Amino acid sequence: MSEPIRRVLIANRGAIATRVQRTLKKLGVESVAVYAEADHASRHVADADAAVSLGEGAATATYLDAERILAAAKAHGAQAIHPGYGFLSENAAFSKAVEDAGLVFLGPTAAQIKAFGLKHEARRLATEAEVPLLPGTGVLASLDDAVAEAEQIGYPVMLKSSAGGGGIGMRVAADEAALRRAWDSVAGMAESSFGDSRLFLERFVTEARHVEVQVFGDGAGRVAILGDRDCSMQRRNQKVIEEAPAPDLPDAVREGMHEAARRLMESVSYRSAGTVEFLYDRAREAYYFLEVNARLQVEHGVTELVTGVDIVEWMVRLGETQLTGGKTDFIHEPNTCGAAIQARVYAEDPARDFRPAPGLVTGLVLPETAPDVRVDDWLEAGTVIPATFDPLVTKILAAGTDREAARKRLASALAETRVDGVVTNLDFLRAALELPDFVAAHQHTGSAAAVEVHSRTAEVIAAGTQTSVQDVEGRLGYWHVGVPPSGAFDFRSLAHGNALLGNDANAAGLEMLAQGPTLRFTADVTAVVTGANAEVTVDDATVDGRTPFAVPAGATLRVGRIATDGLGLRAYLAVAGGLAVPEVLGSRATFDLGAFGGHGGRALRTGDVLPVGEAPEAPGDASAAPAPDL
């Protein structure tokens, strides 16, 4: 018999890489990390027993380079490869290459990945296993065929990529005209994302729920059911909040889903972790097969919290049986206890259609882990979130004796969480947990559209000349470690502005030189401009910037050319509540040469989003500040 697994290469990055490392360490197994150069400072690299650079570039040149990853595994003595999720996790050719090289692929077989990766083939397998399917089609030969089939199914329909996944390559069509408009777009997206432009149709269920069943197979025909999850809270067809077990399901529906999932996966002698996904029509109390994810899911943690099963550990132990010929008697069907909910924290801007917001994390506060709170994260202050990869920052999970206890605990954990330097969806998540439909467990795949996010931010439309965040007192007393004094050059003018607004005397504002910035605010704010004279407009209407003025939510504030008329070279923009950037060495001031403080440790750039603090309740008192130097 071969030796047991001693070293595993993790073919992934971010939260899943650190999650797998945690389990490997518990098992006494060493880890090999691979990383793109953009991730060289990530935790999964620092914590690995060995780390291999995949070079510069986006996913295609790094985490999707199967040959390079396989070579790294061989060079560093890994006996197995854990694919995580995304990237190569559902790549049949990679799975086969790993096993052809004599290594263990800690996931399904290549044949299973291939079969379930093609949605029309997955539908065929589901039909043979007597799993209910939405009325739909096989692969469509042409747009005319799609129109004819849609008439038979009945509108609305969902046009989907056969090779798609993760919400990519799908479009709802309410009528024939919409279907014709969507055809080329969806086919093009499918071709560019998956290299496969084949499409099919399914009936679209309004206010449907997305429910999935977690399975684990031994590869020899036995499949264990590890409960179910609800993943209906989505934005742009991407999950953001998941929970286990799925709430408010009739017993007969839950049992039917579990048995349907078992039949399907047993029919292919499924190996390792996988998920069978269903669409649940609450009005009809009917469920329909959607797809199989032949891999570990991002949301696997909520299942672990309610079952006590470490699914990653099972994947490693099952892989070890391929080397040693050992037994798989550790696989069992656990009882579920309580409830768990997960929130995905992304570096993205809900105010701009959830556009990714990469950048430097300048401050990070995460909730304390406890038996009822789990944090799967990969970054810390100083980490750069690259623009080339998925912007998932962390996953925060909470458990409770029942769903409401878990919801409240997660809400508390999210309230404790803060990520500075980049925009995140934290405000969206906090609001989503309080959405009446979610509180009542009546959420559906369209519910997230009703979430109202009340953030206080300023988007930088134009940065101006060397505009930077500064405060009044600055950063003093660090010359001995090479940090010179910093802060507002004309501190009296910034202090005067803060006093006019009723801010804390040391609240951070913007220092502007030569040409001021253009900012768009997401909330009603009051602002004032002090120091050198400058033309100030709000939505192109000129205002007296030297006295506090209102900027309504959605309005654009522009500070024009800074005058050189004897009142100094710098002007200052103070906002009621101040700019809510973190302190570094006791100050919020930007130290450009040291690349810290302020926003991202640098002058502002177009596209930056600045957090604004809560406005003070008391009115301003200009006499509370020293008069500016005029």
Side-chain angles (χ1 to χ4, degrees):
M1 281 188 187
S2 301
E3 288 290 321
I5 291 176
R6 298 298 183 197
R7 180 169 275 208
V8 172
L9 181 140
I10 305 167
N12 220 292
R13 65 181 293 276
I16 182 57
T18 56
R19 161 73 184 91
V20 173
Q21 281 177 331
R22 186 169 65 243
T23 291
L24 293 178
K25 185 175 182 180
K26 179 179 71 175
L27 296 174
V29 177
E30 294 182 346
S31 64
V32 179
V34 292
Y35 62 95
E37 280 301 316
D39 287 332
H40 75 278
S42 293
R43 185 179 303 164
H44 82 280
V45 179
D47 290 350
D49 294 287
V52 182
S53 173
L54 298 174
E56 302 278 0
T60 52
T62 55
Y63 295 106
L64 290 174
D65 190 333
E67 289 186 8
R68 188 177 293 184
I69 290 172
L70 190 54
K74 293 178 181 177
H76 288 269
Q79 296 146 294
I81 292 180
H82 195 295
Y85 41 67
F87 296 128
L88 293 169
S89 62
E90 290 181 282
N91 186 302
F94 180 61
S95 172
K96 184 176 186 301
V98 170
E99 300 200 339
D100 285 349
L103 306 181
V104 176
F105 183 77
L106 298 177
T109 68
Q112 291 162 355
I113 293 173
K114 182 177 181 180
F116 288 125
L118 296 172
K119 301 302 183 285
H120 66 281
E121 178 66 10
R123 285 174 61 90
R124 182 188 67 78
L125 292 171
T127 300
E128 292 177 355
E130 298 182 349
V131 177
L133 279 86
L134 278 167
T137 71
V139 172
L140 297 161
S142 67
L143 173 55
D144 288 340
D145 284 346
V147 170
E149 291 285 358
E151 290 296 331
Q152 296 297 315
I153 296 169
Y155 289 99
V157 293
M158 177 76 86
L159 181 63
K160 302 176 74 171
S161 163
S162 180
I168 300 171
M170 58 176 62
R171 186 81 58 81
V172 177
D175 52 34
E176 179 181 336
L179 178 58
R180 289 186 178 278
R181 287 194 302 269
W183 179 265
D184 288 341
S185 174
V186 175
M189 184 179 296
E191 178 65 35
S192 63
S193 299
F194 311 111
D196 187 336
S197 62
R198 290 178 293 178
L199 307 178
F200 69 100
L201 286 175
E202 282 182 342
R203 173 187 289 165
F204 179 73
V205 178
T206 304
E207 296 191 356
R209 283 178 60 186
H210 188 140
V211 179
E212 58 191 29
V213 178
Q214 176 70 58
V215 305
F216 197 95
D218 66 359
R222 183 164 64 94
V223 172
I225 304 298
L226 277 65
D228 47 69
R229 301 184 285 257
D230 185 286
C231 306
S232 301
M233 291 295 288
Q234 304 177 5
R235 53 96 178 102
R236 293 193 318 227
N237 297 314
Q238 293 276 7
K239 305 165 188 173
V240 286
I241 296 177
E242 302 104 335
E243 59 182 299
D248 196 31
L249 275 186
D251 290 343
V253 170
R254 194 184 309 275
E255 292 169 6
M257 284 184 180
H258 289 192
E259 289 310 309
R262 190 194 309 277
R263 288 196 304 273
L264 175 59
M265 303 306 257
E266 285 182 346
S267 73
V268 297
S269 296
Y270 189 78
R271 184 184 79 188
S272 194
T275 305
V276 183
E277 303 200 354
F278 295 95
L279 200 67
Y280 174 53
D281 186 338
R282 187 198 307 272
R284 296 182 175 89
E285 290 194 359
Y287 59 93
Y288 307 100
F289 173 76
L290 272 180
E291 63 180 352
V292 168
N293 281 296
R295 56 172 168 82
L296 190 69
Q297 290 277 78
V298 178
E299 59 271 22
H300 72 278
V302 290
T303 294
E304 294 181 328
L305 286 176
V306 299
T307 62
V309 171
D310 184 331
I311 298 175
V312 173
E313 178 181 343
W314 279 19
M315 295 173 78
V316 176
R317 293 178 66 184
L318 180 64
E320 193 166 68
T321 67
Q322 296 173 242
L323 289 177
T324 65
K327 296 181 179 180
T328 60
D329 52 5
F330 59 89
I331 299 174
H332 63 280
E333 295 198 354
N335 294 321
T336 60
C337 181
I341 309 177
Q342 170 179 284
R344 303 189 192 189
V345 182
Y346 285 98
E348 62 185 15
D349 191 350
R352 295 188 286 178
D353 195 28
F354 297 96
R355 186 164 70 188
L360 173 68
V361 177
T362 56
L364 180 67
V365 178
L366 295 173
E368 293 291 331
T369 57
D372 58 351
V373 176
R374 169 172 150 180
V375 179
D376 288 358
D377 73 302
W378 62 278
L379 63 130
E380 54 198 358
T383 300
V384 174
I385 299 174
T388 45
F389 306 117
D390 185 88
L392 181 65
V393 172
T394 187
K395 299 181 294 178
I396 299 177
L397 304 86
T401 53
D402 56 29
R403 183 179 187 269
E404 182 61 7
R407 188 189 69 83
K408 289 180 176 178
R409 186 65 193 91
L410 180 57
S412 177
L414 290 175
E416 299 173 33
T417 304
R418 175 171 173 161
V419 182
D420 294 305
V422 297
V423 185
T424 70
N425 66 335
L426 275 167
D427 285 338
F428 171 85
L429 294 171
R430 293 165 184 146
L433 287 182
E434 304 301 329
L435 191 71
D437 271 359
F438 186 79
V439 174
H442 292 161
Q443 71 266 30
H444 53 81
T445 53
S447 291
V451 176
E452 295 183 1
V453 180
H454 302 288
S455 59
R456 290 177 60 81
T457 60
E459 178 188 356
V460 180
I461 307 302
T465 305
Q466 200 64 25
T467 305
S468 63
V469 176
Q470 301 293 346
D471 59 15
V472 174
E473 296 176 4
R475 185 177 295 107
L476 305 174
Y478 294 99
W479 259 124
H480 63 289
V481 291
V483 179
S486 54
F489 188 86
D490 178 4
F491 66 89
R492 291 176 179 269
S493 287
L494 179 54
H496 186 69
N498 282 332
L500 287 169
L501 297 171
N503 283 347
D504 177 85
N506 195 41
L510 292 181
E511 183 175 85
M512 303 170 290
L513 178 68
Q515 177 70 42
T518 301
L519 309 171
R520 183 183 296 125
F521 290 84
T522 59
D524 294 343
V525 300
T526 303
V528 68
V529 176
T530 57
N533 284 321
E535 182 183 70
V536 181
T537 62
V538 176
D539 282 347
D540 296 325
T542 299
V543 299
D544 179 5
R546 289 199 167 274
T547 60
F549 58 90
V551 184
T556 299
L557 165 64
R558 179 179 178 273
V559 180
R561 185 173 181 81
I562 311 299
T564 55
D565 52 7
L567 297 181
L569 299 176
R570 293 171 174 81
Y572 293 84
L573 174 66
V575 180
L579 298 178
V581 298
E583 290 188 1
V584 180
L585 296 178
S587 172
R588 293 181 171 85
T590 304
F591 176 31
D592 211 343
L593 291 177
F596 62 79
H599 180 77
R602 54 171 170 75
L604 298 190
R605 297 173 185 165
T606 298
D608 284 345
V609 178
L610 303 174
V612 178
E614 292 296 326
E617 295 181 4
D621 178 8
S623 66
D629 293 324
L630 299 178

